Amino acid sequence: MIEDLHNKNKKIAVVGLGYVGLPLALEFAKKFSVIGFDINAARVALMNNHIDPSEELDKSAFDGCDIVFSSNPDDLKQAQFFVVAVPTPIDSHNVPDLKPLLSATDLVGKALKKGDYVVYESTVYPGATEEDCLPILEKNSGLKFGVDFKLGYSPERINPGDKEKTLTNIQKIVSGCDEEALETIASVYGSILKNGLFKASSIRVAEAAKIIENTQRDINIALMNELSMLFRKMGIDTNEVIEAASTKWNFYKVTPGLVGGHCIGVDPYYLTYKASTLKHFTKLITAGREINDGMPNYIANLIIKDINAAGKVLKNSRVLVLGATFKENVSDVRNSKVFDIISALRSFSIDVTLLDPYASKEEVERQYKFPLSEKAEGKYDVIVLATKHKQYMNLSEDYFRSLSNEPFIFYDIKGIYRNTFKDCKYFSL
Ligand SMILES: NC(=O)c1ccc[n+]([C@@H]2O[C@H](COP(=O)([O-])OP(=O)(O)OC[C@H]3O[C@@H](n4cnc5c(N)ncnc54)[C@H](O)[C@@H]3O)[C@@H](O)[C@H]2O)c1
């Protein structure tokens, strides 16, 4: 396989060209001949013009790449090594929604030939590749797994907005259905990685490793969020406690905050779901999710109390929210917890103005039916600094005060101006 890929007798197809799939497809296309497939024809049209719809890569990332973008499933038949990187979201009941994964598998299964490889990159619960995807591949291709085609799993660790820990700079986990598959998959990925790879002993181990990376982070943040709520009642500054505790060599420094996005706040639900099918009911993981999902309401309630304490009527009082995306310096608003704060405030008829230098107006309106404003207008009763965008990092207390009614109430969720702003009612977690 690897020789045929190198001399371009065989092709790689990357299925799903989002935050994960596009950078991967382009990296492969520096070494191999690649088909970049996505069901979304509008996104494919942008990529054909060397535009990354996720706005992570600039045009130069497409330079010198041997890649054809397509939304025609027939084109997948030209490939022999398939990589699947489609979304794995949850539904409104926090249950894994495998529809994109299974429909991508359906297409790959129809294109599968003897000798082909399929590697999944989408984050899933342990067992999904072999229990949910494999039967579809066998059924649609009429081929026998392990004999006619091989399977692997290689989770992505890409971190949108991070220009240092990029796909090729980090160590990547690979796994295969047998020794031969592992070695082949390792050699394909090894061709593009600078810091090597880790060969997991099985597909399930690799799936589980990915899911616990994010679950561990979710629980650690939940612990700090719980402590932040407790210490507020005790009149103790959580940040000062964390600073002090961090002087111990084995204290793991994590700060409280909103857990949004499509990884940390979503992946643990894949694990809890799988556990429930095995009649194992997770306690710690579930508690962590509950705490983190409850933070927007906790913050909104404090804002409401502060408006009330200032002697103002909630109805039509004005709140300015700065930052709509789930993390700093990216345009991604999916599963951003900022909107949960906004909807809690709006349920009290509070008037909210939302600004963000990165988020797309259309995307915010489409996903949240809420307008993204161009600029602040007039004065506000509370200012909420929700996302640590670089544009918000070096502003003065006077600047924010100029946007505020009296009293000046400032919610600095990420604690950017902690210990700096002196003359306001200041909040940070
Ligand atoms: N974004 C991250 O930071 C990140 C990091 C690690 C792992 N992951 C995981 O990687 C996977 C992909 O995430 P993402 O952020 O790249 O998603 P994304 O939403 O950015 O992109 C997914 C792409 O897949 C396409 N798609 C959807 N269904 C398809 C189908 N049936 N066939 C072909 N294309 C299809 C969409 O049109 C879209 O272009 C998920 O499982 C995610 O959990 C994401």
Side-chain angles (χ1 to χ4, degrees):
M1 174 65 75
I2 188 70
E3 266 178 37
D4 281 332
L5 287 174
H6 272 301
N7 61 31
K8 303 200 172 179
N9 286 333
K10 290 188 173 177
K11 289 177 192 275
I12 294 179
V14 178
V15 179
L17 302 171
Y19 284 90
V20 168
L22 182 61
L24 184 68
L26 294 177
E27 212 52 59
F28 276 140
K30 290 178 185 163
K31 295 274 163 66
F32 309 116
S33 187
V34 175
I35 297 159
F37 176 84
D38 200 290
I39 44 163
N40 187 329
R43 287 176 71 91
V44 167
L46 286 172
M47 291 181 252
N48 271 325
N49 287 320
H50 294 188
I51 296 168
D52 172 8
S54 309
E55 296 175 6
E56 282 290 304
L57 307 171
D58 55 34
K59 274 185 184 279
S60 64
F62 294 74
D63 290 349
C65 290
D66 180 358
I67 187 162
V68 174
F69 294 106
S70 170
S71 55
N72 179 356
D74 283 343
D75 290 336
L76 289 174
K77 294 185 179 137
Q78 298 166 32
Q80 291 76 23
F81 190 100
F82 297 88
V83 179
V84 179
V86 296
T88 43
I90 45 174
D91 67 15
S92 56
H93 304 287
N94 294 332
V95 172
D97 173 7
L98 291 183
K99 280 198 278 314
L101 185 74
L102 301 183
S103 77
T105 301
D106 189 64
L107 295 178
V108 171
K110 287 173 183 157
L112 213 55
K113 301 159 293 300
K114 267 194 171 185
D116 286 0
Y117 275 73
V118 185
V119 178
Y120 287 86
E121 288 240 358
S122 298
T123 306
V124 288
Y125 47 74
T129 303
E130 288 152 308
E131 292 163 17
D132 298 280
C133 299
L134 173 56
I136 297 175
L137 294 174
E138 278 197 317
K139 179 169 167 280
N140 284 7
S141 64
L143 297 173
K144 186 136 185 55
F145 163 62
V147 181
D148 296 329
F149 70 94
K150 306 254 182 181
L151 210 51
Y153 182 79
S154 178
E156 186 48 76
R157 286 172 166 162
I158 212 159
N159 187 22
D162 188 336
K163 304 293 173 209
E164 279 165 29
K165 292 184 210 69
T166 58
L167 164 64
T168 57
N169 289 338
I170 53 167
Q171 199 183 21
K172 201 171 188 320
I173 296 175
V174 291
S175 66
C177 59
D178 57 29
E179 198 55 41
E180 186 196 2
L182 176 62
E183 290 311 319
T184 302
I185 292 165
S187 63
V188 174
Y189 278 94
S191 314
I192 60 166
L193 299 174
K194 295 189 193 109
N195 279 324
L197 37 80
F198 180 88
K199 294 177 189 172
S201 57
S202 69
I203 288 175
R204 274 160 206 268
V205 165
E207 289 169 324
K210 169 68 193 179
I211 212 111
I212 72 155
E213 288 167 21
N214 286 343
T215 302
Q216 184 190 62
R217 190 151 172 75
D218 195 41
I219 289 173
N220 280 311
I221 297 171
L223 174 63
M224 292 304 142
N225 279 336
E226 177 152 59
L227 292 174
S228 169
M229 292 186 277
L230 172 63
F231 289 151
R232 181 169 310 281
K233 288 193 168 164
M234 294 177 170
I236 298 172
D237 183 325
T238 306
N239 186 60
E240 288 172 12
V241 177
I242 294 171
E243 283 304 313
S246 299
T247 56
K248 186 169 182 213
W249 56 92
N250 60 358
F251 182 81
Y252 181 41
K253 189 175 178 185
V254 177
T255 50
L258 296 174
V259 181
H262 40 274
C263 288
I264 299 171
V266 169
D267 299 351
Y269 285 124
Y270 271 69
L271 199 50
T272 56
Y273 165 79
K274 183 65 182 177
S276 72
T277 67
L278 300 168
K279 301 271 178 293
H280 178 95
F281 298 99
T282 53
K283 296 181 189 71
L284 184 59
I285 304 171
T286 304
R289 279 285 70 239
E290 274 173 20
I291 292 171
N292 288 341
D293 274 354
M295 291 313 281
N297 262 333
Y298 170 72
I299 294 169
N301 282 338
L302 291 177
I303 293 172
I304 286 162
K305 280 186 186 164
D306 277 346
I307 295 174
N308 193 47
K312 298 184 180 180
V313 178
L314 290 175
K315 188 172 161 58
N316 296 334
S317 59
R318 302 187 74 216
V319 173
L320 174 65
V321 177
L322 299 168
T325 63
F326 83 96
K327 67 183 274 193
E328 62 275 12
N329 307 328
V330 299
S331 60
D332 195 350
V333 291
R334 285 178 299 171
N335 195 27
S336 166
K337 296 296 160 194
V338 175
F339 293 93
D340 290 359
I341 298 179
I342 293 174
S343 74
L345 296 175
R346 293 184 73 217
S347 70
F348 285 84
S349 303
I350 293 170
D351 181 48
V352 179
T353 300
L354 175 65
L355 307 181
D356 191 292
Y358 294 92
S360 130
K361 208 173 158 51
E362 293 71 35
E363 215 35 47
V364 169
E365 258 163 29
R366 192 182 67 77
Q367 287 191 41
Y368 298 101
K369 315 273 174 279
F370 189 78
L372 187 65
S373 301
E374 302 278 329
K375 56 180 173 31
E377 274 180 48
K379 304 230 178 200
Y380 297 88
D381 300 300
V382 178
I383 297 174
V384 181
L385 183 47
T387 315
K388 206 172 174 178
H389 289 318
K390 59 177 185 284
Q391 289 84 344
Y392 299 147
M393 292 298 285
N394 292 307
L395 300 170
S396 69
E397 187 170 354
D398 281 346
Y399 166 74
F400 288 111
R401 187 177 295 101
S402 73
L403 298 173
S404 175
N405 286 322
E406 282 298 324
F408 175 24
I409 304 173
F410 189 67
Y411 271 67
D412 184 7
I413 293 175
K414 302 293 280 188
I416 302 170
Y417 296 104
R418 188 185 286 121
N419 302 328
T420 322
F421 284 13
K422 305 283 181 206
D423 204 10
C424 63
K425 169 116 185 55
Y426 179 87
F427 165 97
S428 77
L429 280 170

